[in-house]
Amino acid sequence: MTADMSNDIHSSNSTIGAAPDAGLEASIASATRALLDHRQPDGHWVFELEADGTIPSEYVLLRHHLGEPVDGVLEAKIANYLRRTQGAHGGWALVHDGEFDMSASVKAYFALKMIGEGVDAPHMVRAREAIRARGGAVNSNVFTRFTLAMFGVLTWKAVPVLPVEIMLLPMWSPFHLNKISYWARTTMVPLMVLAALKPRARNRKGVGIDELFLQDPRSIGMTAKAPHQSWSWFVLFRALDGVLRVVEPLFPNRLRQRAIDAALAFTEERLNGEDGMGAIYPPMANIVMMYDALGKGPDFPPRAVTRRGLDKLLVVGDEEAYCQPCVSPVWDTTLTCHAMLEAGGEANLTAAKQGLDWLVPKQVLDVKGDWAVKRPEVRPGGWAFQYNNAHYPDLDDTAVVVMSMDRMKRETGTLAYDAAIARGREWIEGMQSRDGGWAAFDVDNLEYYLNNIPFSDHGALLDPPTEDVTGRCISMLAQLGETAASNKQVAAAVEYLRRTQLAEGSWYGRWGMNYIYGTWSVLCALNAAGVSHQDPMVRKAIDWLVSIQNEDGGWGEDATTYRLDYRGLQPAPSTASQTAWALLGLMAVGEAENPVIARGVEYLIATQSEKGLWDEQRYTATGFPRVFYLRYHGYPKFFPLWALARYRNLRNTNSRVVGVGM
């Protein structure tokens, strides 16, 4: 920070004091009390993680696929959830108040019909008309088509060929499991077995959805080219799909059995108890169906334990129920600890310490997961997102955990986390990709041509480096003492961020929605790494964030900013979590006295509920852009507190400098 800038800040206390002290302190105190009330008995935090209606619908269809006894009470609650989340357009969206989505709508309609909703009920008529008006269920995505093929609605010619013999391909082949993302890998392995066996869902009610099609569904062939796919690659892979359809039935039985055995070995090494392979819903559901197709009964241990894990993802209330795609205890706990450390005070520090103590044994120190294929020399040392997922720790969680532990060390002088910090740092240093960035789970996962295969109509087959995760890893290294001037890895990562900044000044946010999230992540990193607040890329980002503040003082952004033809942020309603990100990003680069900060703080105080937290129906996080979004119920609980406490703390210092990575 320059002397002139420092003097300007110190002469503007009337601006930074715009939010009344008493109201600010009361807001912080109320939020911290409410967060403490959400602690689990052992000291960690975990909040609901909600997606769209797809996962609850799939859960219903899975039970009927397996022919399980009907749980009328549970199904009625899931039906209540699906009816409530039906959009004004008649279908179902991927986010709150979002646009119609064909696949989500087809699955929700199918699930409701399976539950017993009458096809002439008004909500079913509206859904059916909305689907048919948009060309019908033929426009469903690949994953939906696999479900419909197993229920006999479509034939198997409507889905891509997924030969299980892929399990036997060498690493040098154009397609290999280790060339795709962890979520694609774990989902595809059991799905390839299902594609080989082509099981038929039991569907004891005999429910079908032919009425959602404008043609005979059994006449439907392959999917059309997805918008993200290039014609040249698509035509090549479609031709290959055609060849495979001819030759796959000719594969020797012995070869097929070897491949199925390889898929089972892959799966059983990663079953992960009731937390499930990959600790996410899709592969877990596919595994249960895979064992069923192989003739393994409900009591077969790998099937039974995975099936129990799916029920652990349910959120069952008095009136409604839904199924989470996964759970987020490590992420929720470490971010809440950051907010508590920012809020300060003995009770909050004690709570944060209990949370961090809970995190210590969650560090993966003894399993070299799939990431080690490309980094065999690197020792494990990361944290996973979920309770247990040792084969798939992620860099984002690891960086944020290390920073929270380091902050506790700064606050208390404790040495209790030194070993965990050192191993986490070592793992992240070893996981940098060759372009200078960091991805979420893998290294150098840059085979972009694979997003053109017919299976990848979702465009999310890969896990390449992204700006938000790269920012977090820089933040961690910088908080531990490294800078762009002193450390080649940090310097390379900062250059990656220079290359990826958009002309408007923002950065893409892969895991949070979207450019506000990415820009917050990067600004925190640049500040921590010692990049001048007067650097042109920093000034451009500041100007952009200031320019998109809403009239109510908050910030908002919705899922439409992930569209392929993005041309600038469109107005969206303010949310507490996105407002907090914008405030934290701006304060990180010396803008604490900018009037927009006071307005943002006032927005947060004004929208805080009587319970001390913030109500946020809108989705502010991302599973897969344009395909799958997330509503973290914890985001409007800990991020606004963090921003408010940061604002207060900066007001109470002379330097106005954020001295930590986030």
Side-chain angles (χ1 to χ4, degrees):
M1 181 180 298
T2 66
D4 288 343
M5 186 176 176
S6 180
N7 290 334
D8 288 344
I9 288 175
H10 293 155
S11 65
S12 304
N13 286 335
S14 60
T15 300
I16 199 167
D21 286 344
L24 178 61
E25 288 295 347
S27 180
I28 292 170
S30 179
T32 52
R33 285 195 300 270
L35 261 183
L36 288 172
D37 288 343
H38 279 83
R39 267 190 309 173
Q40 299 296 310
D42 59 4
H44 82 283
W45 283 268
V46 61
F47 300 99
E48 291 179 36
L49 182 57
E50 183 180 1
D52 59 87
T54 301
I55 300 292
S57 300
E58 289 178 355
Y59 177 84
V60 170
L61 296 173
L62 172 68
R63 294 186 64 121
H64 287 268
H65 175 109
L66 299 170
E68 294 179 350
V70 173
D71 184 337
V73 174
L74 176 61
E75 287 194 350
K77 290 182 176 183
I78 293 175
N80 289 342
Y81 175 85
L82 292 174
R83 286 196 300 270
R84 178 178 63 80
T85 56
Q86 186 176 16
H89 41 58
W92 280 261
L94 302 179
V95 294
H96 180 73
D97 283 342
E99 299 173 354
F100 174 95
D101 182 80
M102 180 60 74
S103 293
S105 300
V106 168
K107 284 184 175 175
Y109 180 95
F110 197 2
L112 286 169
K113 188 176 179 182
M114 190 69 76
I115 289 169
E117 305 281 294
V119 295
D120 295 325
H123 63 285
M124 297 292 279
V125 172
R126 287 196 300 119
R128 185 165 61 252
E129 290 177 347
I131 290 168
R132 291 178 61 87
R134 291 164 174 83
V138 66
N139 293 317
S140 299
N141 64 21
V142 163
F143 286 115
T144 303
R145 284 170 171 240
F146 270 103
T147 297
L148 298 183
M150 286 187 280
F151 273 90
V153 176
L154 299 176
T155 68
W156 287 89
K157 68 183 179 184
V159 300
V161 176
L162 273 185
V164 69
E165 287 76 12
I166 287 172
M167 296 298 307
L168 307 178
L169 292 176
M171 187 66 182
W172 52 260
S173 64
F175 187 95
H176 189 276
L177 286 178
N178 285 306
K179 292 181 178 177
I180 59 176
S181 63
Y182 116 72
W183 56 84
R185 194 180 309 141
T186 53
T187 298
M188 282 182 67
V189 168
L191 187 59
M192 288 190 294
V193 178
L194 290 169
L197 300 176
K198 297 179 174 53
R200 186 68 175 261
R202 286 174 178 78
N203 189 13
R204 288 175 176 150
K205 289 186 174 183
V207 174
I209 52 169
D210 285 12
E211 66 271 21
L212 298 185
F213 294 85
L214 305 185
Q215 64 278 88
D216 177 0
R218 279 151 288 279
S219 70
I220 292 171
M222 276 287 289
T223 55
K225 183 184 82 70
H228 70 274
Q229 294 175 329
S230 76
W231 272 112
S232 54
W233 279 112
F234 178 77
V235 169
L236 174 64
F237 284 122
R238 175 59 69 85
L240 179 60
D241 183 87
V243 172
L244 285 171
R245 286 185 193 279
V246 174
V247 302
E248 187 194 24
L250 306 177
F251 289 167
N253 290 337
R254 178 181 293 182
L255 181 68
R256 171 134 296 185
Q257 190 57 53
R258 272 185 59 209
I260 291 175
D261 290 345
L264 290 172
F266 177 96
T267 299
E268 288 169 7
E269 180 185 341
R270 295 163 178 79
L271 275 176
N272 202 31
E274 290 185 355
D275 294 282
M277 182 166 77
I280 49 179
Y281 179 92
M284 294 167 67
N286 287 345
I287 285 167
V288 173
M289 290 186 287
M290 175 187 73
Y291 281 123
D292 182 64
L294 289 167
K296 306 295 185 182
D299 296 331
F300 180 64
R303 173 179 170 176
V305 71
T306 304
R307 180 65 187 84
R308 289 197 301 271
L310 290 170
D311 282 345
K312 289 175 67 175
L313 295 175
L314 292 170
V315 175
V316 182
D318 293 337
E319 301 295 330
E320 293 184 354
Y322 72 92
C323 188
Q324 303 172 101
C326 62
V327 291
S328 53
V330 171
W331 189 238
D332 290 339
T333 298
T334 185
L335 289 170
T336 303
C337 287
H338 274 281
M340 288 292 179
L341 287 161
E342 196 71 45
E346 186 175 345
N348 295 332
L349 287 179
T350 299
K353 182 181 183 304
Q354 290 174 341
L356 296 177
D357 289 346
W358 180 84
L359 286 169
V360 170
K362 296 295 181 186
Q363 188 174 25
V364 181
L365 299 171
D366 55 349
V367 176
K368 281 200 168 188
D370 292 1
W371 55 266
V373 171
K374 292 186 177 179
R375 287 290 189 272
E377 75 285 358
V378 175
R379 292 196 300 172
W383 278 264
F385 180 75
Q386 305 92 342
Y387 285 107
N388 296 291
N389 193 13
H391 278 82
Y392 305 106
D394 79 269
L395 286 93
D396 213 357
D397 275 85
T398 301
V400 177
V401 170
V402 168
M403 284 188 277
S404 61
M405 290 180 169
D406 179 70
R407 288 191 68 175
M408 181 62 76
K409 179 178 180 178
R410 294 182 182 204
E411 291 283 345
T412 65
T414 180
L415 304 179
Y417 308 116
D418 281 8
I421 290 171
R423 283 293 290 274
R425 171 182 178 159
E426 179 185 336
W427 185 65
I428 282 183
E429 287 176 329
M431 292 289 286
Q432 188 173 25
S433 289
R434 60 178 177 264
D435 63 3
W438 278 272
F441 301 93
D442 280 295
V443 183
D444 292 331
N445 190 203
L446 302 167
E447 290 84 358
Y448 290 103
Y449 63 89
L450 291 175
N451 271 329
N452 294 283
I453 67 173
F455 179 79
S456 186
D457 64 343
H458 48 74
L461 206 64
L462 305 178
D463 179 23
T466 59
E467 296 88 320
D468 47 345
V469 179
T470 299
R472 210 87 68 215
C473 294
I474 293 173
S475 288
M476 184 210 74
L477 291 172
Q479 186 173 309
L480 296 179
E482 303 297 340
T483 67
S486 66
N487 184 284
K488 290 182 178 179
Q489 285 188 288
V490 174
V494 169
E495 287 306 308
Y496 168 88
L497 295 178
R498 285 191 187 277
R499 294 194 305 272
T500 54
Q501 186 178 27
L502 296 184
E504 65 183 15
S506 70
W507 281 273
Y508 179 77
R510 165 63 180 83
W511 297 98
M513 201 179 291
N514 169 355
Y515 296 100
I516 296 174
Y517 183 89
T519 304
W520 157 61
S521 305
V522 171
L523 288 179
C524 290
L526 296 178
N527 170 66
V531 176
S532 170
H533 297 168
Q534 302 307 312
D535 187 293
M537 72 169 163
V538 174
R539 301 316 304 175
K540 280 177 66 177
I542 291 170
D543 291 344
W544 179 78
L545 276 175
V546 169
S547 75
I548 64 166
Q549 186 176 28
N550 286 334
E551 289 186 6
D552 60 10
W555 278 264
E557 180 179 353
D558 61 35
T560 59
T561 61
Y562 283 108
R563 63 186 184 273
L564 293 172
D565 62 344
Y566 174 75
R567 295 189 181 93
L569 195 71
Q570 301 297 310
S574 298
T575 67
S577 56
Q578 289 168 321
T579 298
W581 299 337
L583 291 172
L584 289 166
L586 288 168
M587 286 188 285
V589 288
E591 295 295 307
E593 293 191 72
N594 192 316
V596 303
I597 299 294
R599 290 182 57 216
V601 167
E602 289 163 2
Y603 168 83
L604 289 179
I605 293 174
T607 55
Q608 189 175 19
S609 73
E610 292 182 0
K611 295 180 180 179
L613 302 174
W614 287 261
D615 296 322
E616 187 171 281
Q617 296 298 312
R618 298 184 68 82
Y619 286 45
T620 63
T622 312
F624 309 113
R626 299 178 297 280
V627 177
F628 190 71
Y629 299 101
L630 298 168
R631 178 188 172 204
Y632 285 87
H633 288 220
Y635 277 15
K637 296 178 173 64
F638 45 72
F639 278 124
L641 168 61
W642 192 342
L644 292 174
R646 172 70 51 82
Y647 177 72
R648 177 201 62 191
N649 295 342
L650 288 176
R651 293 177 60 199
N652 293 338
T653 66
N654 290 324
S655 68
R656 314 289 195 230
V657 170
V658 175
V660 291
M662 292 179 72

